[in-house]
Structures are given as C-alpha cells and as structure tokens.
C-alpha cells in the first residue's frame, strides 16, 4: 500500500537523475504534493515561486519553450483554477509542461476550497492538453514517464489516497487505452483514480452477497481515448456505472457518454459523482457522505437494477 | 552598414516605416489595434535593429515577448522590415488562414517567442526563458514589452516580485506607458500612478525615458546591458504616436480606419522621414 502522491514524488526524483532537462516549479506546496524529493535532490533545477500559481504557470511555459521539461505541481483546485493562464501561456504556445494537480476529490478535513472537483472537466476541454489519472503507484510511475517523454502539454491528476497495487511490475501503460481490471459479461463499473478501488470492493460485495457480476474498468487515459477499445468493450455491455470523485458534469462519465453517443451504442450509463463542493471530514466519512464508498456504490447498483426490473 | 551599426537617423526612419506598414496592414484588414501599435514604434525599431542579438535562425538569439499581444500589427511590420516576411504576407493580417493572427500565435508564426493575448502573462514566460538561459550558461537576454494598463493584472506583480527577489538580471521589461487602455485613459479607469516606486520597491532599477527618443531608448538599453539588477524601462509614449488626429485619443485603440483617415495618416507619416 502506497499513496499515489508518494509514488509520483519518488518517480519524479528517479527520473531527475536520468533526464537533466526535467525542471521543477513549485508554489509553496512541495511537501504536500511530494515534489520535495526532487527539490532536495536537484536544487539547481528547482524553482520555488511562492504562492503565485499564475506566475508559476508562465515560468513553466517559458522553460518548456526553452527545451526543458517543466513539472509544476500544486493542489488541483489552485492550479487548474488558473484557466486563462494555462490556456494562453501553456496550451496556446503548445509548451510541453507537465501539470500535476493533487488533492482531488476526498482530501479530508481541509474542506471544500482545497478539494479539486472540476479539474478533469476543465482540462478535458483545454486544447492540446492530454489528461491522465492513475489509480495505483505503478500506473503513476508509468504515466509520469510517458508525460516526461512526449512533446506536448499534459495534466496528471494525482490523489493523496493510499491504495493497493493492481498492476504488476512489467505493466506498460498505453495512452488512450481503458484497462479491464475485472472481466464481465454485460455490466460494469467505469472509473479512474482512487475510486477504481471502491469499485473493485463494491463489485466484490455484489458478487459475494448478491451473486451479481459487475466488471471494473480503469480509465487512466481520460484524453486522448482509444475509441476503438471503447467500442470493443461496450458493444456487448448493457449497463455501465461511471464513478468519479469529481463533479458529474464534464468528468469521465461525460467522456464515456460522448463516445457511446458518437457510435450509437445503446449501453445505459449511470453517472455517479459529485453535485456540490466537498466538505470537511475524514476521507472515509466523506466517501460515505457523498455516496461513493463501496457500500453506497453496491446499494446504488442494487437499487438501479431493481428499479429497472420493476419499471 | 550592418544592422547593428545602424545610425539614429536610420532608426528614426525605420520607426516611421513601421508605422506606415502597420497602418497599411490594419487598413487592409479593416481591423486591428492602431494606437497601441504606433506607441511602440521607436522601441521596436531600436530593439530589433540595434539592441537585440536577433538573426534569422540563430539559436542564441535574445528573446522578445510582446506581453501586450494586441499591439502585434507593428511587430509583424518589424518582421517585414527585417525582410523575414513579404509585404504581401504582411497584408494578410487578420485574414482567414493567415499566419498573421489578430494576437500573436507562435505555433503558426514561427519567429515569435511567445503567443500572448490574455494580458499579464508575458513577463512570467520571460522568466522561464531567462532561467533556461542561466541553466544553459548562455548570456542572451529576454526583452518583454508590457502595456501600462496591463499593470492592472495581478500576475504582473507576481512576476515583478519573483524577478526582484531572485535578482534576475537577464530580463528587461519595457512599459509602453501610453496612458490609455481599451475604453478610456488609465487614470480614468484605475489610477495606479506613480508607477516607478512600485517597481523600485520590488528591487528593480527603473529608468524613466521619452519612449519616442531613439537616443534615450538606446542609452536605457545600454544601462540594462551593463546592469546586474532587474531593469524596467518606463517608456513614456503617446498612444497613436505619429498621426496627429490619433494621438492621445482612446478611440484609436482599435477604431476602424477609413480611406480618408488612412490617406491623411500616411501623408503625415511620409513627411516625417529624415532625408
């Protein structure tokens, strides 16, 4: 068990040894976003700008245009809140910056202002950006490596949750591909980031207690998406429950619906996500409050299936 | 005479030529920011024809960022004057499929060092370039022109604070202090004067000059080059400079240029060449 942000921080520092073009820009949140390991190891390639995200974004853009590979990490709520700066300085100039947005979803007692709940929606619509969200430490390292290699702006949503590993050490991340974690016949969960683990647990509950088979799909490559893989997976899928610790509008549920609609697939989609800001509490309490813990998810599935039978 | 040895009379004439070409392009486009372009004429003439290390295709060039991206018509005129684009291309300004977009787009106009347009962001990008020069042990400089109204953007002060605190000495910020912004004068919109002590309090050396005097512009840039502190040049300019009926008139920020005004303006400007 390891947190996704720890996996990010450790990998970034490892990559720093290999690739001298990697530079870090931080805005007084190095320890919280785990970029402090790189900062301590490579002080000459690290730039702390203070609590000034807009300036940080512009500096990163300029370094990216100078053939460096800038990594800028901060809370996603603060970083992705700077829409016009990301849009003009990074995206419009196609500067190959890696933006790391941490503290999405259920972050704990710090409450609503610190929790990123719109970042996927905003960054999906950002021209030229690729958008990723890893669910496990190995996937985190894979995705970071990928973003450091490509010559294009990227956004990675990194959660602070401690999670078990789902992939083996030889796993190789392929941009665009959804990953089937648990096989299924005609119903599945579709999720990304730490919520994938809640889906796995909900699936277990449904199987063990109700003999219902629901598969789980991990969706780390939010943009771009390999549409052929989506068609292949969903052509025989009757019902999908999309699960995200993010506003329902514009998140992964929306992304999936756009493709299903484009190819006239008649899979029924239930989008499970947030409708409002996330308050203070422990992450476990918050998952329950906002109905995204394993029991709430399995209850939602049971109720939905029941309603469908009797409707 | 090489470009860098250009004399002051020729620089003056370049600034007049830039104004004429800017108006030709804007007249043809029937769209574009006139006043904000004309006020930068002498500054750009001095930078591109005298001060900056700036040769086509040279990786060690200085960098130039027009943070006030709406003033781009005169920057396109600079590239025409340098001979890097044709007059025909200059006259495609703001037209469909043109490389000469309404605001700078570096992904299609390859000579730009930054695309800008949403105000306040250019100095931060300049910092990125400046830090990269330091990492690469290059002695190149970054020049960034901002508008005076643009100083109302908070990011300008985030960048000013960073540069001042880190004592970055390879960025020169030039304020095109033409005293007007989109709708009205800066003073009527949000009076933030005096400007000089604000920059100085962030650790900058501040040089106050007449932004239409080639002599004063060159000596200010020479101070910057020998300075080891952050340097900002407050270039006091006239919005719409060079055409009497456009000068200090906020409506000429982006007013439509009709045939009669265009011809009058060109006639006035042509009379200003020094023979």
């Amino acid at each position: 068990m390891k947190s996704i942000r720890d996996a990010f921080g450790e990998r970034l520092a490892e990559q720093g040894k290999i690739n001298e073009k990697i530079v870090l820009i931080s805005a007084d949140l190095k320890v919280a976003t785990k970029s402090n390991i790189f900062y301590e190891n490579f002080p000459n390639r690290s730039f702390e700008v203070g609590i000034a995200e807009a300036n940080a974004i512009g500096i990163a853009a300029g370094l990216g245009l100078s053939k460096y590979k800038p990594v800028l990490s901060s809370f996603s709520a603060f970083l992705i809140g700077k829409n016009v700066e990301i849009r003009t300085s990074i995206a419009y100039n196609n500067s190959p910056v890696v933006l790391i947005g941490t503290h999405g979803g259920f972050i704990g007692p710090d409450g609503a202002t610190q929790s990123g709940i719109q970042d996927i929606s905003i960054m999906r619509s950002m021209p030229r950006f690729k958008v990723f969200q890893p669910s496990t430490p190995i996937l985190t390292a894979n995705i970071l490596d990928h973003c450091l290699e490509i010559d294009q702006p990227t956004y990675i949503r990194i959660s602070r949750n401690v999670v078990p590993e789902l992939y083996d050490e030889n796993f190789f991340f392929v941009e665009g591909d959804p990953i089937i974690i648990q096989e299924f016949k005609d119903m599945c969960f579709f999720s990304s980031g730490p919520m994938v683990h809640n889906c796995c647990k909900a699936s277990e509950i449904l199987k063990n207690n109700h003999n219902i088979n629901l598969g789980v799909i991990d969706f780390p490559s939010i943009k771009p998406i390999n549409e052929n893989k989506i068609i292949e997976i969903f052509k025989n899928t009757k019902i999908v429950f999309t699960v995200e610790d993010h506003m329902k509008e514009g998140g992964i549920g929306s992304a999936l619906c756009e493709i299903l609609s484009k190819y006239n697939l008649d899979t029924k989609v239930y989008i499970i996500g947030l409708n409002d800001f996330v308050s203070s509490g422990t992450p476990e309490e918050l998952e329950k409050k906002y109905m995204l813990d394993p029991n709430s998810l399995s209850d939602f599935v049971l109720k939905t299936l029941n309603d469908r039978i009797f409707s | 005479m090489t470009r860098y040895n250009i004399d002051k009379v020729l620089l003056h004439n370049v600034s007049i030529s830039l104004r004429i070409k800017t108006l030709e392009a804007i007249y043809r486009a029937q769209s574009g920011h006139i006043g904000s372009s004309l006020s930068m004429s002498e500054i750009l003439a001095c930078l591109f024809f005298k001060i900056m290390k700036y040769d086509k295709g040279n990786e060690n060039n200085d960098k130039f960022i027009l943070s006030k991206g709406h003033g781009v018509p005169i920057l396109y005129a600079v590239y025409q004057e340098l001979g890097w684009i044709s007059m025909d291309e200059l006259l495609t300004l703001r037209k469909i499929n043109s490389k000469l977009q309404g605001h700078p787009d570096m992904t299609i106009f390859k000579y730009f060092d930054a695309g800008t347009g949403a105000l306040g962001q250019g100095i931060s990008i300049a910092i990125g370039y400046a830090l990269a020069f330091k990492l690469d042990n290059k002695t190149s400089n970054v020049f960034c022109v901002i508008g005076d109204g643009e100083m109302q953007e908070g990011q300008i002060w985030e960048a000013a604070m960073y540069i001042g605190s880190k004592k970055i000495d390879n960025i020169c910020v030039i304020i095109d202090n033409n005293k007007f912004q989109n709708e009205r004068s800066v003073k009527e919109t949000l009076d933030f004067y005096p400007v000089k002590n604000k920059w100085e309090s962030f650790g900058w050396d501040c040089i106050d000059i007449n932004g239409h005097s080639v002599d004063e512009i060159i000596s200010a840039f020479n101070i910057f080059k020998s300075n080891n502190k952050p340097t900002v040049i407050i270039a006091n300019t006239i919005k719409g400079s060079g055409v009497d009926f456009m000068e200090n008139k906020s409506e000429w920020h982006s007013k439509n240029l009709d045939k009669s005004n265009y011809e009058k303006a060109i006639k006035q400007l042509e009379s200003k060449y020094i023979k």
Side-chain angles (χ1 to χ4, degrees):
Chain A
M1 296 279 276
K2 187 191 266 189
S3 83
I4 293 174
R5 62 176 172 164
D6 280 329
F8 154 70
E10 288 165 16
R11 188 60 168 197
L12 181 63
E14 283 166 26
Q15 285 288 2
K17 289 180 202 157
I18 302 162
N19 184 350
E20 292 188 345
K21 288 291 180 185
I22 298 172
V23 289
L24 174 75
I25 299 95
S26 55
D28 199 23
L29 283 169
K30 294 184 289 299
V31 175
T33 66
K34 301 298 173 193
S35 61
N36 57 314
I37 312 169
F38 183 97
Y39 184 85
E40 284 150 18
N41 281 284
F42 309 101
N44 297 335
R45 286 191 271 145
S46 299
F47 304 100
E48 170 59 56
V49 307
I51 309 161
E53 291 81 9
N55 192 35
I57 288 162
I59 294 174
L63 282 159
L65 294 172
S66 305
K67 299 192 168 47
Y68 279 87
K69 193 67 192 174
V71 176
L72 165 52
S73 69
S74 188
F75 283 19
S76 69
F78 309 150
L79 189 59
I80 305 309
K82 300 287 173 191
N83 181 296
V84 74
E85 293 83 0
I86 295 172
R87 179 179 188 270
T88 313
S89 290
I90 299 177
Y92 184 52
N93 292 325
N94 204 25
S95 179
V97 176
V98 181
L99 292 182
I100 305 289
T102 66
H103 295 68
F106 304 125
I107 64 164
D110 278 342
T113 55
Q114 322 300 97
S115 312
I117 56 168
Q118 304 153 270
D119 51 328
I120 290 173
S121 171
I122 293 166
M123 294 311 291
R124 276 185 67 224
S125 68
M126 191 64 75
R128 297 173 187 163
F129 260 86
K130 294 182 173 181
V131 180
F132 306 105
Q133 178 171 225
S135 57
T136 77
I138 286 176
L139 195 49
T140 304
N142 265 265
I143 287 175
L144 180 63
D145 291 356
H146 178 66
C147 292
L148 291 170
E149 264 175 32
I150 57 178
D151 197 23
Q152 201 176 329
T154 51
Y155 173 61
I156 313 178
R157 187 186 212 228
I158 297 282
S159 72
R160 72 195 294 277
N161 307 51
V162 174
V163 291
E165 187 53 69
L166 297 170
Y167 302 98
D168 68 44
E169 282 178 8
N170 299 319
F171 174 81
F172 182 74
F173 170 71
V174 179
E175 178 185 288
D177 284 4
I179 307 160
I180 298 173
I181 302 285
Q182 274 175 232
E183 294 291 340
F184 62 98
K185 197 170 148 238
D186 55 7
M187 292 190 295
C188 65
F189 284 117
F190 180 86
S191 189
S192 183
M195 287 298 111
V196 168
H197 302 280
N198 291 21
C199 292
C200 290
K201 286 178 197 156
S203 178
E204 256 179 65
I205 295 168
L206 288 163
K207 186 159 194 197
N208 295 342
N209 300 354
H210 306 280
N211 203 26
I212 294 170
N213 177 20
L214 229 83
V216 179
I217 297 169
D218 190 357
F219 185 59
S221 184
I222 296 168
K223 183 187 164 194
I225 303 168
N226 182 337
E227 295 184 353
N228 290 331
K229 289 264 178 174
I230 295 283
I231 296 166
E232 197 183 303
I233 292 170
F234 285 95
K235 66 184 176 198
N236 297 317
T237 303
K238 287 185 184 146
I239 302 173
V240 54
F241 299 89
T242 71
V243 179
E244 53 198 311
D245 52 357
H246 182 277
M247 292 297 284
K248 287 179 187 172
E249 294 86 354
I252 63 163
S254 297
L256 180 64
C257 287
E258 287 162 18
I259 299 170
L260 297 179
S261 160
K262 181 175 170 185
Y263 294 99
N264 287 320
L265 295 173
D266 55 8
T267 311
K268 174 70 187 168
V269 183
Y270 294 91
I271 296 179
I272 306 170
L274 301 172
N275 296 309
D276 197 1
F277 289 109
V278 173
S279 61
S280 293
T282 67
E284 295 72 26
E285 288 167 338
L286 292 168
E287 285 183 5
K288 282 182 188 153
K289 178 173 175 179
Y290 295 97
M291 315 286 280
L292 285 161
D293 64 301
N295 283 321
S296 301
L297 292 175
S298 59
D299 286 350
F300 183 96
V301 170
L302 286 174
K303 183 175 184 311
T304 305
L305 297 181
N306 203 40
D307 288 351
R308 283 171 68 90
I309 291 165
F310 295 105
S311 64
Chain B
M1 188 188 295
T2 67
R3 203 173 83 222
Y4 298 111
N5 291 329
I6 189 167
D7 67 28
K8 287 165 188 171
V9 171
L10 270 177
L11 277 175
H12 166 82
N13 285 349
V14 167
S15 80
I16 299 302
S17 175
L18 293 180
R19 286 184 170 94
I20 290 172
K21 287 170 181 172
T22 300
L23 290 184
E24 283 177 3
I26 289 175
Y27 175 61
R28 193 69 73 94
Q30 281 298 295
S31 163
H33 295 78
I34 295 175
S36 335
S37 288
L38 297 189
S39 57
M40 291 188 287
S41 241
E42 284 82 3
I43 298 166
L44 296 189
C46 291
L47 275 174
F48 282 87
F49 289 85
K50 177 87 180 163
I51 298 297
M52 287 200 297
K53 183 171 56 183
Y54 207 76
D55 299 303
K56 201 172 182 179
N58 185 351
E59 280 197 1
N60 293 316
N61 275 343
D62 289 331
K63 299 288 178 190
F64 177 79
I65 295 170
L66 183 65
S67 190
K68 43 169 287 189
H70 55 281
V72 74
I74 196 160
L75 189 53
Y76 294 129
V78 166
Y79 287 102
Q80 198 286 325
E81 194 77 28
L82 286 168
W84 297 11
I85 64 169
S86 68
M87 195 63 200
D88 283 349
E89 183 159 23
L90 179 64
L91 298 181
T92 66
L93 172 70
R94 287 181 168 238
K95 295 273 195 322
I96 189 81
N97 298 328
S98 171
K99 288 180 184 165
L100 282 59
Q101 292 289 296
H103 288 75
D105 184 343
M106 72 176 299
T107 63
I108 56 172
F109 192 89
K110 301 292 181 188
Y111 302 131
F112 287 150
D113 294 317
T116 54
L119 293 172
Q121 302 182 32
I123 307 179
S124 302
I125 300 173
I127 297 172
Y129 275 121
L131 294 175
F133 282 150
K134 300 274 186 196
L135 287 170
D136 294 338
N137 293 315
K138 286 186 177 175
T139 55
S140 308
N141 291 312
V142 191
F143 295 87
C144 179
V145 175
I146 66 168
D148 48 354
E150 193 179 0
M151 284 186 283
Q152 291 156 356
E153 289 278 8
Q155 190 180 344
I156 293 284
W157 302 103
E158 289 185 9
M161 194 188 300
Y162 184 84
I163 294 168
S165 171
K166 302 290 178 185
K167 302 183 172 48
I168 298 172
D169 61 0
N170 57 347
I171 297 176
C172 181
V173 170
I174 305 106
I175 302 168
D176 177 14
N177 197 30
N178 66 29
K179 300 162 198 79
F180 285 88
Q181 53 192 96
N182 186 35
E183 294 187 335
R184 291 185 292 173
S185 71
V186 172
K187 216 163 198 168
E188 288 170 295
T189 309
L190 181 71
D191 185 351
F192 54 71
Y193 298 106
V195 168
K196 194 173 180 217
N197 60 357
K198 291 186 176 62
W199 289 86
E200 284 172 344
S201 71
F202 281 125
W204 291 64
D205 270 355
C206 200
I207 309 169
D208 211 313
I209 62 164
N210 172 356
H212 298 301
S213 159
V214 167
D215 276 328
E216 289 189 34
I217 295 169
I218 290 172
S219 64
F221 282 128
N222 286 335
I223 293 170
F224 157 68
K225 283 186 174 179
S226 60
N227 202 357
N228 55 6
K229 275 180 71 182
T231 305
V232 58
I233 298 171
I234 302 179
N236 293 293
T237 57
I238 295 166
K239 191 140 182 167
S241 156
V243 180
D244 61 7
F245 60 88
M246 293 176 176
E247 289 187 352
N248 293 319
K249 298 277 190 329
S250 55
E251 67 262 31
W252 282 103
H253 179 78
S254 57
K255 185 180 165 176
N256 202 34
L257 185 58
D258 65 23
K259 188 165 187 284
S260 137
N261 279 329
Y262 167 66
E263 285 171 352
K264 263 194 274 179
I266 298 294
K267 203 173 167 193
Q268 273 190 31
L269 287 167
E270 281 177 340
S271 72
K272 293 186 177 179
Y273 279 120
I274 300 172
K275 289 179 183 153

